[in-house]
């Protein structure tokens, strides 16, 4: 591509993160959703994290679909689905209608995320360039999430239905995809022949990496999804403040993602360890000293931890497998991301019931300890098996 064309291509690709970060529009209104539908807590849980469940299956499906359809064709179709399902997500104030529309959003999220990262992997062969662009892509993801989450916080003060107005931004992005994403041939099964018949399996290191990525997502998503609940139960602000904390998390994530190319170059296999350390210490801080300043500091650094870890696991997913398996690997990593996101809300309520606790704040010491244990486990496994965990 020419320089100008490539810039427009990257900007468009980065903007598709509005779909990937769609949940941040809902986050400031979560506490109000529980109040609006007090007799359907499990359905509200699904509305919150259900798209992550659907994303599991759509991510895996996308990995296969790219062998038979152009990435652009799939991207246009999936982003168009997201545009319609998100804009009209609360057109009917019925909990089952909202759940259905959120299901369609989840379907599109899986496709859009896998396609965007696959396009980056296809365009950038060099490991250094790929890690840099992937880091910037994830920084854009976090930055866009911060913006839409912050705006949604103000809409949430009007009503929980009003947050869906934020999704109208998807329409011009769909137009950009049509104009600036190039159409490439489908991968087809013939791509597997390029490896000369060797190293055609995913390998042990890939699956160990996926296990830790799953745990990483479950741990971070506790605060990601429950930030408005944490704010309400500690009396430290309203929906707008919850939206601010959510946005600060994505700001922290954006900064960590921007620095990821440098971080990965310097630390390689150890690049994810600071993320687990931050998760553990910040959850302890939120538990021991709930307050406005604490919330601002902890949510920002927790976001940074997630941005660094998220970039790390997706980067490793593209380099620890054969070239012919990259697209499928990205689909699997995205699915693992979705499993962790989806189960997080249920793990939260399960821990509350198990420990007979009434607040999200009460389970944070457990989350902190598990985070630190996972950090130690990550280090030990990487040393023993020499794999990228």
């Amino acid at each position: 591509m020419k320089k100008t064309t490539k810039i427009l291509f990257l900007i468009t690709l980065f903007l598709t993160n509005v779909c990937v970060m769609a949940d941040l529009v809902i986050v400031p209104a979560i506490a109000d959703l529980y109040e609006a539908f007090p007799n359907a807590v499990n359905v509200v849980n699904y509305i919150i994290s259900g798209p992550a469940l659907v994303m599991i299956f759509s991510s895996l499906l996308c990995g296969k679909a790219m062998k038979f359809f152009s990435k652009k064709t799939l991207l246009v179709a999936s982003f168009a689905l997201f545009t319609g399902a998100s804009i009209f997500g609360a057109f009917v104030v019925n909990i089952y209608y909202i759940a259905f529309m959120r299901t369609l959003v989840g379907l599109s999220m899986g496709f859009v995320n896998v396609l965007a990262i696959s396009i980056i992997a296809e365009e950038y062969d060099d490991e250094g360039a790929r890690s840099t662009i992937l880091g910037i892509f994830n920084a854009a993801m976090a930055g866009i999430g911060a913006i839409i989450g912050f705006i949604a916080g103000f809409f949430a003060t009007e009503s929980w239905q009003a947050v869906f107005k934020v999704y109208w931004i998807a329409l011009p992005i769909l137009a950009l995809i049509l104009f600036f994403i190039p159409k490439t041939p489908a991968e087809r099964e013939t791509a597997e022949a390029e490896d000369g018949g060797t190293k055609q399996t995913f390998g042990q290191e890939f699956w160990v990496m996926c296990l830790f990525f799953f745990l990483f997502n479950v741990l971070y998503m506790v605060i990601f999804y429950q930030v408005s609940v944490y704010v309400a139960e500690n009396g430290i602000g309203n929906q707008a403040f919850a939206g601010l904390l959510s946005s600060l998390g994505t700001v922290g994530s954006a900064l960590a993602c921007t620095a990821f190319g440098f971080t990965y170059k310097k630390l390689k296999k150890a690049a994810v360890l600071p993320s687990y350390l931050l998760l553990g210490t910040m959850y302890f801080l939120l538990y021991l000293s709930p307050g406005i300043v604490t919330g601002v500091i902890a949510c920002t650094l927790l976001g940074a931890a997630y941005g660094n870890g998220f970039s790390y696991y997706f980067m490793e997913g593209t380099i620890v497998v054969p070239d012919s398996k990259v697209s499928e690997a990205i689909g699997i990593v995205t699915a693992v991301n979705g499993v962790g996101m989806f189960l997080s809300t249920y793990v939260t309520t399960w821990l509350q019931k198990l420990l007979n606790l009434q607040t999200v704040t009460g389970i944070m010491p457990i989350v902190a300890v598990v985070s630190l244990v996972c950090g130690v486990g990550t280090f030990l496994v990487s040393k023993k098996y020499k794999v990228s965990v």
Side-chain angles (χ1 to χ4, degrees):
M1 299 181 193
K2 294 180 180 179
K3 186 176 180 179
T4 302
T5 304
K6 179 161 284 190
I7 290 173
L8 292 171
F9 155 75
L10 287 173
I11 290 173
T12 301
L13 204 60
F14 294 166
L15 286 174
T16 62
N17 279 311
V18 166
C19 173
V20 180
M21 300 300 283
D23 285 351
L24 275 170
V25 173
I26 304 295
V27 167
I30 286 176
D32 291 335
L33 277 168
Y34 282 117
E35 290 183 7
F37 304 102
N39 298 319
V41 173
N42 285 332
V43 182
V44 174
N45 279 343
Y46 178 82
I47 289 172
I48 297 168
S49 62
L53 173 66
V54 180
M55 187 174 70
I56 298 166
F57 302 102
S58 61
S59 299
L60 297 173
L61 179 61
C62 184
K64 295 293 185 181
M66 283 187 287
K67 292 186 177 294
F68 305 99
F69 300 95
S70 166
K71 293 180 179 68
K72 178 173 183 176
T73 300
L74 292 171
L75 186 59
V76 169
S78 56
F79 202 87
L81 175 64
F82 163 73
T83 301
S86 60
I87 290 174
F88 297 104
F91 186 73
V92 178
V93 184
N94 176 282
I95 193 169
Y96 297 106
Y97 169 84
I98 297 169
F100 173 71
M101 298 303 276
R102 290 283 288 161
T103 299
L104 297 182
V105 168
L107 180 64
S108 61
M109 284 169 64
F111 270 84
V112 170
N113 192 48
V114 173
L115 288 163
I117 296 175
S118 296
I119 290 170
I120 290 173
E122 182 179 68
E123 183 67 23
Y124 295 93
D125 295 328
D126 178 72
E127 183 177 311
R130 183 182 295 178
S131 64
T132 299
I133 296 299
L134 187 58
I136 297 172
F137 173 82
N138 289 332
M141 180 189 301
I144 287 170
I147 293 170
I148 62 177
F150 184 70
I151 295 172
F154 288 99
F155 277 106
T157 61
E158 176 186 337
S159 70
W160 63 264
Q161 299 100 313
V163 299
F164 289 85
K165 296 176 183 178
V166 178
Y167 290 126
W168 280 95
I169 190 62
L171 274 176
I173 297 173
L174 179 60
L176 291 174
I177 293 171
L178 287 167
F179 284 107
F180 297 118
I181 299 298
K183 188 171 184 178
T184 56
E187 294 178 357
R188 304 290 183 188
E189 297 293 340
T190 55
E192 297 185 2
E194 295 178 3
D195 289 314
T198 61
K199 197 181 178 183
Q200 291 300 302
T201 62
F202 289 106
Q204 183 190 46
E205 58 183 322
F206 175 75
W207 296 113
V208 173
M209 182 201 77
C210 286
L211 172 62
F212 277 93
F213 189 39
F214 162 74
L215 294 172
F216 183 74
N217 276 284
V218 170
L219 294 167
Y220 174 71
M221 292 301 157
V222 171
I223 191 62
F224 177 81
Y225 282 128
Q226 305 293 339
V227 65
S228 66
V229 177
Y230 175 82
V231 168
E233 67 190 19
N234 287 287
I236 57 176
N238 59 10
Q239 297 94 331
F241 183 66
L244 174 63
L245 290 185
S246 181
S247 296
L248 287 174
T250 51
V251 169
S253 180
L255 293 174
C257 290
T258 302
F260 179 71
F262 174 81
T263 305
Y264 186 80
K265 180 180 178 181
K266 294 296 183 181
L267 299 179
K268 292 294 184 182
K269 307 302 183 186
V272 74
L273 297 182
S275 292
Y276 286 108
L277 179 61
L278 279 174
L279 285 179
T281 54
M282 290 304 105
Y283 272 121
F284 271 126
L285 181 62
L286 287 172
Y287 173 74
L288 294 172
S289 182
I292 294 175
V293 176
T294 298
V296 167
I297 294 172
C299 287
T300 302
L301 293 180
L302 283 167
Y306 187 71
N308 179 70
F310 185 86
S311 296
Y312 174 85
Y313 285 116
F314 270 95
M315 176 64 187
E316 288 293 281
T318 69
I319 64 175
V320 300
V321 298
D323 288 344
S324 62
K325 295 289 186 181
V326 168
S327 292
E328 288 183 74
I330 293 171
I332 292 171
V333 173
T334 304
V336 170
N337 177 221
V339 173
M341 291 174 67
F342 172 72
L343 290 181
S344 183
T345 55
Y346 293 92
V347 169
T348 298
T349 53
W350 175 76
L351 282 175
Q352 287 177 285
K353 291 180 180 179
L354 179 68
L355 302 174
N356 194 27
L357 296 169
Q358 303 302 313
T359 65
V360 171
T361 307
I363 69 168
M364 286 186 173
I366 304 299
V367 180
V369 170
V370 174
S371 298
L372 295 175
V373 169
C374 283
V376 174
T378 296
F379 177 76
L380 294 177
V381 171
S382 65
K383 289 295 183 181
K384 182 176 182 179
Y385 297 105
K386 304 296 182 184
V387 298
S388 310
V389 299

